Amino acid sequence: MSRDYLDFDVAVTPEGQGYAARVLASPAGEASAPFTLPFAATDLAAFLVAVGPPRVSSRRLAPAEARVVDVKEYGRRLGEALLSGDVGRAFRDSLAAASASDHDLRLRLRLDLVPDLDAVPWEYLYDTGLGRFITLSQETPVVRLLDALERPPVVTVDAPLRVLVMISSPSDMPALAVDREEQLLRATTGDLVESGRVELTVLEDATLGGLQRALLDDFHVFHFIGHGGFDAQAQEGVLVLERADGTAHRVSGARLGTLLHDARLLQLAVLNACEGARTSGSDAFSGVAQALVRQGLPAVVAMQTEISDRAALVFSHEFYYFLTRGLGIDAAMCEVRKAMAVSDEASEWGTAVLLRSGTEQPFSFTGASVATADPRERGESRVESLYAAARVALEANATETALPLLEQVAAEHPDYQDVTALLDRVRPAEPATDRPVALAGAPTDATAARQEVVTETVTEPGTQTEPEPTGSDPQGPPSSPTPPAPREGPSPKPRGVHLGRWLRLGVLVVLVVGSYVAWRVLPSLLQKADPLVAAACGSSSTDPGATTFSVGCAPVAPVVDGSFDDWRSVTEHDADAAVFGAASRRAGLTATWQALWDHDAFYLHAVVDDPLVTPVQGAPAAWWNGDAVSFEIGPDPRALSRTAPLRAGRDVHVILAVSADSDRRAAADVNVVGRNSAGRLVFATGSARPGIAVVARARDTGYELEARLPWAELGRSVAPQRGEVLGLNVNVSDATGAGPDWRLRTMLSSNPQRTGANQNAPARWQTVALTDAG
């Protein structure tokens, strides 16, 4: 049982061009200190997709691309940024005061005024003084606090805890195996159900109407498993339910809250859907979880990234186990995180976000409800339940269901019965070698060649031929086909054979010509195919208004391989205005660029005529001095004043540099917004970004490069929509000298008004509309 909590309430608020951390209430009183997020937006986006192993079928609307970062280092930097100065001293003094009074200290984060920071995974806060992640202990849970319009009274629960489960798998979304998901959840909680602590009701009708009818009965928890995401056009989080015809029905948190609000005993929602806690970055209540708390649900647990089967198994069981043991929801979440943290050394323990309103615990369990069984018995019962479910799945040949169950049993009890042998049976086999293998009944290459020879054999006039052996003599063993005996001299061919060869030659010519025509025009045709465009770039579009350029959707994404064929039909733009070093511009220095986009990335291609190509030198942030293609990019700047500064975390400066250090002959750097010595916001710091795929190749007259830039690397945590407008300048640098004499000689730009000063004024940038075709 956890002790009572004292609260350390800290709010992050806007402060000038930055942020401040303010302690609103604590045992040590109030305090404040400046707060600077120690990461660029691209780092945050990368971290969100980095924790935890990938799923076979993701519950996220967009697939994750990269994983694995140093979680402890990330948490340390975040902890040092938030708990610095007077705020850090207040936190340490509050810990001491709580301990002296036999209390624990609950850190409650308020982010109402900074929704742009809501996507930061605060659950990974690490305190170097404590030497641990803050929320991995009941003594210091981390909770996100929101104000609710109303707070329903605490509900007293007499076992069982009644959980309504909705598993949604629409027919037009990436498939979730509904039966498998249900079996995994039932297996996970089987021992709790058998002991009478939990009662699961799985809703057969995953529609909004089905949920409304189900909520006429009393439930304590709503548990959703399915797809989730953020609708950038509507600027709200959604869960994907089903319509009556089985297709997807995107339901906002506000709409869902309308139903859950009237379920008087319902105190908690568990949203096992990716990005259930994601907001728009401008409205703290636009996420599904935030909207539910806003409408009066006392507590919501939502996932801020995708979650694996193994993590879901541990989470579901441990969460309901500790709740029914009488732990408050804050302490229960800490225990769940610990269980996930020690399960196969996973880093997904911070995936779940706890959002609360008020101080009171949502549930009050009666004494009879709190189980007192020996934890060892509970452990054996749990393993038995998982193992039994795995055997049932194996008997039904459902190996994908059995695999995570067996892996969890093996993680907890490696010597349990025959679990090791069963794992060997169901784990995917090692990839086969490249050696071709002849299948039974299928000809090998040699056999096929012999059969082709037999097919081409013709009969001379006036002769008879023996039938070829079939290789299946009923009187003896199988034999191989016997090739025909060689003939003396050339054999005359019938007229039909010559005609057949001419026909084949004609077909070959048609194929060659047709392929060339398709190669030339297919990309342009694809950009006009509405279904393909909708799949790659969204189904809806807004009118972008007047912009400098338009960039077309890429239904088939360019491959960054240095061949550049993907760009043959894309609209070309010039970068020919000498904005620096015009007097020293080399004769023949010119450049053109092309761009495409889709949900996943921004694509750029540039052709630079440069009589002398000089690879970059020095630190990445200074690569713009060398031979490189660079661009400033950020949100639509048209509403900004001409003197408006850079937008921290939103504007970035990208450099695609010619390099001599790799076989790709190119490297990428992203400079983010910081302050210079005079306190002005500038593109101050940068680092090489291996997440950006870029390749350059030499040409007779210069060089050519292409790049794939994931939106996350460009400061975007949410993919753009068709019709969205961005600020953009495209620049080309030409260097001179080497070593200490290496410096920028000339810079060309698509924007004649681009200067060193205007680089830091987004309103002076050019604009580009993300459209269907450009």
Side-chain angles (χ1 to χ4, degrees):
M1 299 292 289
S2 59
R3 296 179 290 186
D4 292 334
Y5 287 112
L6 300 179
D7 289 319
F8 185 84
D9 291 353
V10 57
V12 182
T13 62
E15 183 77 12
Q17 296 294 325
Y19 305 102
R22 302 185 183 279
V23 179
L24 305 180
S26 78
E30 299 180 0
S32 65
F35 172 75
T36 300
L37 188 65
F39 312 100
T42 52
D43 297 320
L44 290 178
F47 184 84
L48 284 171
V49 298
V51 290
R55 295 177 56 87
V56 173
S57 292
S58 172
R59 300 169 193 202
R60 190 181 182 196
L61 297 185
E65 293 183 2
R67 303 180 177 277
V68 186
V69 295
D70 188 338
V71 177
K72 182 177 177 180
E73 173 61 16
Y74 177 94
R76 181 193 63 78
R77 292 164 63 189
L78 186 60
E80 290 179 354
L82 181 68
L83 303 176
S84 65
D86 291 342
V87 173
R89 283 187 286 274
F91 181 66
R92 290 188 291 273
D93 291 345
S94 295
L95 282 172
S99 178
S101 61
D102 199 29
H103 286 76
D104 294 326
L105 187 70
R106 177 170 47 194
L107 194 160
R108 302 197 302 179
L109 276 171
R110 301 203 61 134
L111 306 170
D112 310 52
L113 300 179
V114 286
D116 53 318
L117 297 184
D118 196 76
V120 176
W122 300 96
E123 286 64 31
Y124 290 92
L125 283 166
Y126 185 91
D127 186 90
T128 52
L130 296 174
R132 60 174 172 81
F133 292 98
I134 294 176
T135 197
L136 285 184
S137 170
Q138 286 190 41
E139 297 176 358
T140 51
V142 175
V143 178
R144 301 195 188 197
L145 185 65
L146 295 171
D147 284 331
L149 297 176
E150 57 181 286
R151 294 178 185 170
V154 176
V155 169
T156 300
V157 178
D158 189 6
L161 181 72
R162 304 195 66 212
V163 181
L164 176 64
V165 181
M166 174 182 277
I167 305 175
S168 175
S169 184
S171 58
D172 54 347
M173 293 290 293
L176 287 180
V178 175
D179 293 340
R180 171 174 171 269
E181 295 287 348
E182 180 178 347
Q183 187 172 9
L184 288 175
L185 183 61
R186 289 191 183 279
T188 300
T189 57
D191 59 323
L192 303 178
V193 172
E194 185 177 354
S195 67
R197 302 178 200 170
V198 172
E199 178 182 298
L200 290 184
T201 300
V202 178
L203 186 58
E204 299 293 335
D205 182 3
T207 66
L208 209 55
L211 176 61
Q212 181 181 4
R213 290 186 289 273
L215 289 174
L216 293 176
D217 295 328
D218 289 333
F219 293 97
H220 304 117
V221 181
F222 171 62
H223 190 124
F224 176 84
I225 299 174
H227 295 286
F230 188 81
D231 187 331
Q233 183 176 6
Q235 287 293 286
E236 61 184 1
V238 295
L239 296 183
V240 185
L241 276 61
E242 299 176 14
R243 298 187 186 276
D245 63 358
T247 59
H249 184 193
R250 288 168 169 78
V251 178
S252 68
R255 195 171 182 187
L256 185 63
T258 300
L259 294 183
L260 301 185
H261 174 271
D262 284 348
R264 296 300 180 184
L265 295 186
L266 195 71
Q267 299 287 286
L268 170 66
V270 177
L271 308 180
N272 196 350
C274 277
E275 300 183 352
R278 180 74 62 84
T279 74
S280 67
S282 60
D283 178 1
F285 298 111
S286 58
V288 177
Q290 288 86 346
L292 295 180
V293 173
R294 177 70 166 167
Q295 292 199 33
L297 201 62
V300 177
V301 176
M303 306 301 162
Q304 57 187 326
T305 65
E306 63 183 346
I307 184 170
S308 67
D309 284 335
R310 285 282 307 282
L313 286 173
V314 178
F315 173 85
S316 296
H317 184 277
E318 300 306 299
F319 184 58
Y320 291 124
Y321 171 77
F322 286 112
L323 275 183
T324 56
R325 291 278 295 180
L327 267 67
I329 192 168
D330 314 280
M333 279 297 297
C334 290
E335 292 301 319
V336 171
R337 296 190 197 283
K338 286 194 289 186
M340 295 174 72
V342 299
S343 175
D344 201 27
E345 298 183 358
S347 57
E348 294 179 90
W349 53 265
T351 295
V353 174
L354 174 60
L355 297 99
R356 293 281 315 275
S357 64
T359 301
E360 302 82 4
Q361 296 296 332
F363 298 113
S364 174
F365 286 83
T366 63
S369 300
V370 179
T372 57
D374 188 326
R376 289 171 298 177
E377 295 178 6
R378 162 245 167 184
E380 287 300 322
S381 177
R382 165 176 159 71
V383 170
E384 289 171 2
S385 178
L386 295 176
Y387 178 80
R391 294 301 302 237
V392 170
L394 287 174
E395 290 172 5
N397 202 31
T399 55
E400 287 189 0
T401 302
L403 179 58
L405 297 169
L406 291 171
E407 286 179 336
Q408 191 58 35
V409 172
E412 297 182 20
H413 290 270
D415 57 347
Y416 190 84
Q417 297 194 28
D418 58 346
V419 66
T420 302
L422 293 178
L423 269 175
D424 290 339
R425 278 177 46 193
V426 301
R427 275 182 172 146
E430 293 295 323
T433 63
D434 293 336
R435 176 184 293 178
V437 178
L439 302 177
T444 63
D445 291 343
T447 304
R450 287 196 299 270
Q451 290 173 342
E452 186 175 353
V453 171
V454 172
T455 304
E456 287 293 317
T457 302
V458 296
T459 306
E460 295 184 13
T463 64
Q464 271 187 313
T465 59
E466 293 287 330
E468 293 290 344
T470 63
S472 178
D473 184 354
Q475 301 301 320
S479 60
S480 300
T482 304
R487 300 176 183 273
E488 295 289 337
S491 298
K493 303 290 183 183
R495 183 177 179 183
V497 173
H498 292 290
L499 179 61
R501 288 185 172 177
W502 279 109
L503 286 174
R504 287 198 295 272
L505 180 60
V507 170
L508 179 62
V509 170
V510 171
L511 288 175
V512 170
V513 174
S515 298
Y516 175 77
V517 172
W519 180 82
R520 292 296 304 173
V521 305
L522 186 59
S524 297
L525 294 177
L526 289 176
Q527 279 199 308
K528 296 176 175 59
D530 285 341
L532 295 178
V533 172
C537 302
S539 58
S540 60
S541 179
T542 58
D543 182 4
T547 59
T548 315
F549 309 107
S550 64
V551 171
C553 172
V556 178
V559 179
V560 181
D561 56 3
S563 70
F564 311 115
D565 287 340
D566 304 316
W567 299 96
R568 58 189 175 273
S569 63
V570 180
T571 301
E572 190 176 87
H573 307 286
D574 290 327
D576 198 47
V579 296
F580 177 85
S584 57
R585 178 175 180 173
R586 299 182 198 275
L589 178 64
T590 62
T592 60
W593 60 277
Q594 299 163 288
L596 290 168
W597 74 285
D598 61 19
H599 272 320
D600 297 325
F602 184 76
Y603 306 89
L604 189 77
H605 171 238
V607 178
V608 181
D609 287 336
D610 184 353
L612 181 61
V613 178
T614 307
V616 296
Q617 304 174 32
W623 282 349
W624 55 270
N625 284 295
D627 282 13
V629 176
S630 65
F631 60 94
E632 296 86 22
I633 189 168
D636 187 352
R638 292 176 297 181
L640 299 176
S641 70
R642 290 176 63 81
T643 58
L646 291 170
R647 295 156 291 185
R650 307 180 73 192
D651 294 325
V652 296
H653 177 223
V654 181
I655 306 173
L656 307 173
V658 177
S659 169
D661 295 336
S662 72
D663 60 349
R664 299 182 73 82
R665 293 294 186 265
D669 161 77
V670 175
N671 293 333
V672 298
V673 177
R675 293 188 182 275
N676 63 11
S677 57
R680 292 188 58 227
L681 291 171
V682 297
F683 289 120
T685 58
S687 60
R689 297 299 176 94
I692 295 176
V694 57
V695 59
R697 292 290 180 259
R699 304 170 71 243
D700 290 341
T701 58
Y703 66 91
E704 188 171 1
L705 64 74
E706 62 182 344
R708 178 186 185 276
L709 303 108
W711 290 111
E713 296 285 357
L714 301 180
R716 297 288 299 250
S717 58
V718 178
Q721 297 293 308
R722 288 158 70 184
E724 188 168 331
V725 175
L726 304 176
L728 178 78
N729 296 324
V730 177
N731 318 299
V732 175
S733 301
D734 180 32
T736 186
D741 296 326
W742 178 72
R743 58 182 174 82
L744 177 65
R745 177 187 179 105
T746 305
M747 177 176 284
L748 308 181
S749 181
S750 63
N751 184 358
Q753 299 185 30
R754 198 274 191 195
T755 64
N758 290 349
Q759 179 196 25
N760 301 316
R764 308 285 185 94
W765 298 352
Q766 295 176 305
T767 52
V768 58
L770 304 181
T771 57
D772 300 350

